[in-house]
Amino acid sequence: MAKKILIVDDAAFMRMMIKDILTKNGFEVVGEAADGAQAVEKYKETTPDLVTMDITMPEMDGITALKEIKKIDGSAKIIMCSAMGQQAMVIDAIQAGAKDFIVKPFQADRVIEAISKAIG
């Protein structure tokens, strides 16, 4: 069975890029969210195997959303997506329970590697 992924990014083209990489590699994208608040709701609805979470978003940022999702499901697997120069935020995210992070612009092999490793 294909692993179910929830994609969270405030930029529609970034979601499209990740979705494209994932579907080409046999993953099923079960939902998309444009901010952290939507991400928490979509997580409850779709119970994905993994979430790709942008760090910087309006409404609720990725780290806050990560913490909220972890409260709902302690075993949630979340990979943070960050732009270059967000190392401090990435460290915060890892400490809050993120499994890994991928840097924008996305490289397909790195995305797949991080997701495969996190899902296990």
Side-chain angles (χ1 to χ4, degrees):
M1 201 174 105
K3 293 293 185 183
K4 300 182 303 185
I5 315 280
L6 172 63
I7 299 172
V8 185
D9 200 303
D10 57 331
F13 75 96
M14 282 295 181
R15 293 197 306 271
M16 196 176 72
M17 279 176 64
I18 297 177
K19 187 175 188 172
D20 188 49
I21 293 167
L22 295 175
T23 51
K24 282 180 178 165
N25 286 276
F27 293 97
E28 180 191 352
V29 175
V30 291
E32 295 182 30
D35 64 53
Q38 281 182 17
V40 175
E41 288 309 306
K42 289 270 188 199
Y43 189 90
K44 290 179 201 169
E45 287 168 26
T46 60
T47 58
D49 296 304
L50 184 125
V51 180
T52 64
M53 179 85 69
D54 187 20
I55 290 182
T56 321
M57 294 181 290
E59 299 297 317
M60 182 191 289
D61 67 47
I63 294 173
T64 307
L66 163 77
K67 290 174 181 171
E68 289 300 311
I69 289 171
K70 282 291 202 180
K71 282 181 200 166
I72 299 163
D73 178 3
S75 64
K77 294 177 174 68
I78 302 169
I79 292 178
M80 304 309 286
C81 304
S82 72
M84 282 295 191
Q86 292 182 316
Q87 278 83 355
M89 289 169 135
V90 167
I91 291 166
D92 288 348
I94 299 285
Q95 288 170 339
K99 293 281 177 200
D100 203 346
F101 67 95
I102 44 181
V103 178
K104 298 174 186 177
F106 301 118
Q107 293 168 303
D109 56 349
R110 174 69 186 112
V111 172
I112 299 304
E113 176 198 331
I115 289 172
S116 300
K117 196 171 79 180
I119 291 176

